[in-house]
Amino acid sequence: MNSSGRGAWDADDVGEEDDGLERVGHYPDAAEEPDPGVDRYGSPGSDEGVDSLRDGDDPADDYLADDDPGLSSDEDDEVDESQAWVKEMGFPDQLGVVRVWVDDDALIERVRLSIHWRTRLGEQTLQQSFGVVFMLINNYHRLQQRRTLNYYEPEREAAEPLSFEALDRIRERSDEVRRQLEALGDGGHPQLQGEETIGVALHGRVQLKLNLVGQLDGVQFDPTWLRTARIKEISDAVVEAHADARRRFVPAEVIVGEREKLVNELAGLRNETLAMMRRGFY
């Protein structure tokens, strides 16, 4: 395995029977996109989905029981379906297999698996369920942290006094820049140069990938280990692998595209016009 953790997504590191990475956004067996507000772990107050066994549970699930019985009494694990979804409820997949909690920086803090996760998966894989959750987390934080571009420069000083000639030059150049932007079509966007980052846990049995901008991109499990793994082992390993990936992560280099250059120029022309107006004719 590549000790650097960057670009080292090697199936040989996680077992001979590994069937490959299940990527975020590609779930051929998944149903409709899950609603984070819908809790499929059971109704409020029910025991279904907590990380320990209860009377009446299938004895076949005994090896999935959590080693820490304290988790079963943690009131924070109960999700009230009657409330509007908020981030503090965690991000679930559509099958009620897994729920993930993250902090404000999208760092995974806690993972919960249903004690019946193997049955609930059906023909879907655990990687796919995590992929759905990762997609929800990425989308949520993309919206919450969207950068607001503020091109207004109130302190800018005009290069020359306000005049009709200067305004005509700015207008002509602005029209030319807009034509160039239109000619770009869908092209001219910034490009990223770098490598994806892999975080590992349990000596590579669990590998979690971050994309070039540090978003959750997928998780992979050693299939031999996963067949007998306990819930707490899986949950803790995912948290550990993400923390490891975050430590290794190096942001990709942003190569400014032609579109951004033109947009910046257009903003500069607008600000120059405003600055001239503040300065006046002298």
Side-chain angles (χ1 to χ4, degrees), residues 41-58:
Y41 286 76
S43 58
S46 70
D47 293 332
E48 186 179 8
V50 297
D51 289 336
S52 62
L53 292 175
R54 295 289 189 276
D55 294 337
D57 281 327
D58 187 347

Side-chain angles (χ1 to χ4, degrees), residues 75-92:
E75 294 182 358
D76 291 338
D77 277 346
E78 299 299 336
V79 178
D80 188 350
E81 288 179 326
S82 65
Q83 297 180 357
W85 182 89
V86 292
K87 182 174 73 73
E88 288 70 24
M89 293 180 178
F91 295 81

